Amino acid sequence: MNSCKTIEATPAASVVPAQRVKVMSVEDIPEILELENVCWLPEIRASEATLRARFKMGHISMGMLVNEKLVGMTSFSYTRFSTDDPDGFPASFRDFSSRPKHDDYNTAFVYNLNIHPGYRGETLTRELIWTGIDRLR
């Protein structure tokens, strides 16, 4: 006689991870560096010093956490820009990502989108982008 019970397995797709978006800070740099390491080639990863400088300049980074693990992040800076002065438009990534926050800003430059490779193509990416857009308004 077989005494084993059959247990119905719950499909993995029905498990909804706990997710949230948070404004990142200097205290989150270790987790940001982990995300940088899996998202970017070594020569284009942000260093700890670069991240600290961006936070000090008033840049905003919004992180997507899944089960309290950082899996995505977008970064932007507030600045002043006029189409009457096209020469004032940043000419490179370095220019976009190294401008201090302008007190009388009228523009936001989004210069970074890190998504962990395991989460690319998921709705989490869209949610992070839309949350960032809401923050910019």
Side-chain angles (χ1 to χ4, degrees):
M1 177 183 328
N2 187 345
S3 62
C4 294
K5 290 183 176 178
T6 302
I7 300 173
E8 295 289 324
T10 304
S14 69
V15 177
V16 178
Q19 66 186 53
R20 69 184 176 101
V21 175
K22 80 174 228 177
V23 177
M24 307 301 285
S25 68
V26 172
E27 290 78 26
D28 299 307
I29 287 177
E31 290 81 13
I32 295 170
L33 289 171
E34 284 181 34
L35 185 62
E36 287 276 324
N37 286 338
V38 297
C39 291
W40 303 112
L41 296 171
E43 54 271 10
I44 60 174
R45 290 178 191 150
S47 67
E48 180 176 347
T50 297
L51 294 170
R52 286 185 182 282
R54 289 175 182 166
F55 281 121
K56 188 174 182 178
M57 287 186 288
H59 293 200
I60 305 293
S61 291
M62 307 286 293
M64 173 62 78
L65 286 80
V66 173
N67 295 327
E68 293 306 306
K69 178 161 177 62
L70 181 65
V71 299
M73 188 178 82
T74 186
S75 302
F76 52 92
S77 63
Y78 293 112
T79 191
R80 186 110 188 117
F81 176 71
S82 170
T83 54
D84 294 333
D85 179 23
D87 291 337
F89 191 78
S92 68
F93 174 78
R94 183 177 303 276
D95 290 344
F96 276 105
S97 63
S98 61
R99 290 182 174 223
K101 181 180 179 183
H102 196 286
D103 290 335
D104 188 27
Y105 62 86
N106 66 353
T107 303
F109 291 132
V110 178
Y111 61 82
N112 186 34
L113 180 63
N114 288 355
I115 303 296
H116 188 286
Y119 291 87
R120 292 178 184 162
E122 304 255 343
T123 59
L124 298 176
T125 304
R126 264 192 310 273
E127 290 174 36
L128 178 60
I129 291 169
W130 282 111
T131 301
I133 289 170
D134 286 344
R135 171 70 187 235
L136 295 171
R137 292 182 184 167

